[in-house]
Amino acid sequence: MHAKPTLASAPECARRLAARFAETAAERDARGGTPKAERDALRDSGLLSLIIPREYGGLGADWTATLEIVRTFARVDSSIAHVFGFQHLLLATVRLFAKPEQWQPWFELTARNQWFWGNALNPLDTRTLAKRCAGWREFSGQKSFCSGALDSQMLIASALDADSGKLLIAAVPTARTGITLNEDWNNIGQRQTDSGSAHFERVRVEESELLLDPGPLSTPFSCLRPLIAQLIFTHVYLGIAEGAFEEARTYSLKEARPWFRSGVERVGDDPYVLAHYGEFWVALEGVRALVRQATDRLDAAWSLGEALDETQRGEVAVAIATAKVAATRTGLDLCSRLFEVTGARSTHAALRLDRYWRNLRTQTLHDPVDYKVRELGDWALNRTFPQPTFYS
């Protein structure tokens, strides 16, 4: 392992990794599967403990610094950005839902060993049930959309209590007997997130591994968890759009040919191309401002801890929903229209410039933006904050 980065050196470390990931991003998009070399590079970098406080061996970053690195990766490889962002979401999950005597040792072990955390939570998938046994629970069933679970050391998993129907969430070692992770993710985008399925066959879950105190959605502070997820995705969406913009710009300047009726010798002098880039720029700058505001509000809320109240949580929810809608719409528009400024030759399959749109389209469908717009309409008209759920 290389020397652990400091908080000050982490952004440059991330930029070096991103440059390395960019070299193979198009080829790996075609191949799919687990980006093992890239995941190991993240382990070796020390960045997996970015959000963990210094007293537990981490770098002590705030959400602004953490999400900026997520976005750095998203500009070149949104699959890597997704699982890297989820690493910090899952660490936040144990921090928000568990007692200090649970999350503090997990933080220390993660920082010391550079553990990857994987997701097997997905509360909308209710096929996993928890049976009460003598001093432990037994998880059995299926889970879908288990991003980053393959090649992880720890999992956040959920099941419905077989007696009460209550959602139970646990942190368990990925290698535990009875857990099978299936290599069945083969979607059009985000092709290296390993977001396939998991099977639990009588998996023993100790009471000390259940995240019950305070548990999910029990306090305004614990309700930050879904908002953190939403903001991670928003940074990924913006990063994808920024990456698409830069790749289109490079292609326009170096490879694209002006249309024969344009009357110009350079694509950079075509008035229609200039108009497109102007529109892209204005839209991106607007999203950047909204994302910056939302991230600042999350950091302020996170710093309040259990003192956070419902109104403050609601203000964070509105800011993040606003940024997410803008990032979704701007990103999908830009990633589609980039071909209008790069031309027919840019559709060559080897370039895989369509991966930006495919990645963004795949990820944005997991949380329909129409429902975010409706929530914002209720806020704008009635001053009703979005109600906390596991997804908003």
Side-chain angles (χ1 to χ4, degrees):
M1 181 178 289
H2 298 141
K4 188 174 87 169
T6 64
L7 186 56
S9 67
E12 178 56 32
C13 176
R15 284 190 287 271
R16 288 196 303 270
L17 282 173
R20 171 178 164 183
F21 298 160
E23 293 174 359
T24 58
E27 180 272 327
R28 287 185 291 104
D29 170 73
R31 172 162 40 95
T34 303
K36 177 61 176 169
E38 290 70 27
R39 288 174 67 96
D40 284 345
L42 287 172
R43 287 186 174 97
D44 195 46
S45 73
L47 293 177
L48 294 184
S49 56
L50 190 62
I51 199 71
I52 294 175
R54 289 191 184 94
E55 57 264 39
Y56 307 112
L59 300 188
D62 58 14
W63 285 108
T64 296
T66 300
L67 293 173
E68 182 54 49
I69 289 178
V70 170
R71 214 162 103 207
T72 295
F73 292 142
R75 292 181 187 117
V76 299
D77 187 333
S78 56
S79 289
I80 295 295
H82 180 137
V83 296
F84 182 77
F86 262 42
Q87 167 77 4
H88 302 288
L89 170 64
L90 297 171
L91 289 170
T93 301
V94 299
R95 168 66 182 87
L96 291 168
F97 292 176
K99 295 176 288 188
E101 54 264 37
Q102 290 176 292
W103 63 260
Q104 289 174 1
W106 281 325
F107 275 21
E108 290 170 349
L109 288 167
T110 298
R112 185 183 312 144
N113 301 303
Q114 289 301 294
W115 280 351
F116 245 116
W117 287 67
N119 179 51
L121 179 52
N122 190 5
L124 292 180
D125 189 341
T126 59
R127 294 176 295 165
T128 300
L129 298 179
K131 176 184 174 183
R132 185 181 294 273
C133 300
W136 72 89
R137 307 294 177 104
E138 200 173 77
F139 281 24
S140 294
Q142 298 286 123
K143 279 290 175 182
S144 56
F145 295 116
C146 298
S147 298
L150 284 164
D151 189 44
S152 68
Q153 283 66 54
M154 292 290 290
L155 287 179
I156 298 292
S158 73
L160 294 183
D161 185 275
D163 297 322
S164 67
K166 178 183 177 182
L167 180 70
L168 296 176
I169 298 171
V172 296
T174 308
R176 178 156 295 170
T177 300
I179 298 176
T180 301
L181 303 176
N182 302 308
E183 298 182 40
D184 53 1
W185 179 250
N186 189 27
N187 286 42
I188 65 169
Q190 296 296 85
R191 289 179 47 75
Q192 289 206 312
T193 61
D194 284 314
S195 297
S197 64
H199 179 71
F200 296 87
E201 182 65 35
R202 301 183 65 183
V203 176
R204 178 168 174 150
V205 177
E206 306 295 341
E207 292 292 332
S208 62
E209 295 171 328
L210 294 171
L211 311 184
L212 301 174
D213 187 6
L217 306 182
S218 54
T219 67
F221 187 54
S222 70
C223 289
L224 287 180
R225 193 271 182 193
L227 300 184
I228 294 169
Q230 297 283 319
L231 190 55
I232 287 170
F233 287 140
T234 302
H235 275 267
V236 171
Y237 300 167
L238 176 55
I240 291 172
E242 290 174 327
F245 177 90
E246 288 301 328
E247 190 152 358
R249 179 174 178 269
T250 298
Y251 193 94
S252 292
L253 293 174
K254 294 184 177 181
E255 302 292 339
R257 298 171 180 173
W259 185 239
F260 74 97
R261 294 179 59 188
S262 66
V264 299
E265 296 183 0
R266 297 174 57 253
V267 166
D269 294 325
D270 186 307
Y272 294 105
V273 171
L274 292 174
H276 283 307
Y277 275 105
E279 290 170 354
F280 294 163
W281 180 258
V282 170
L284 283 173
E285 283 289 274
V287 176
R288 289 182 186 119
L290 290 170
V291 168
R292 190 178 310 118
Q293 174 181 265
T295 308
D296 287 346
R297 291 194 176 179
L298 174 62
D299 266 327
W302 186 261
S303 68
L304 288 174
E306 293 299 337
L308 185 74
D309 63 34
E310 292 181 2
T311 297
Q312 292 163 325
R313 187 268 177 197
E315 290 169 348
V316 178
V318 169
I320 291 176
T322 303
K324 187 176 183 184
V325 170
T328 299
R329 290 178 169 174
T330 291
L332 289 173
D333 178 65
L334 191 157
C335 292
S336 174
R337 290 173 58 206
L338 71 83
F339 294 99
E340 297 173 23
V341 296
T342 54
R345 291 191 302 154
S346 69
T347 62
H348 193 286
L351 296 174
R352 297 187 78 80
L353 292 184
D354 62 316
R355 72 183 185 276
Y356 295 102
W357 181 88
R358 289 187 287 102
N359 290 334
L360 191 55
R361 180 69 283 178
T362 297
Q363 194 58 54
T364 53
L365 290 174
H366 286 72
D367 183 28
V369 74
D370 288 341
Y371 287 87
K372 283 286 173 283
V373 173
R374 188 179 70 173
E375 287 181 349
L376 290 171
D378 202 11
W379 163 251
L381 182 61
N382 302 313
R383 286 298 185 261
T384 301
F385 285 125
Q387 290 303 302
T389 70
F390 228 98
Y391 286 92
S392 64

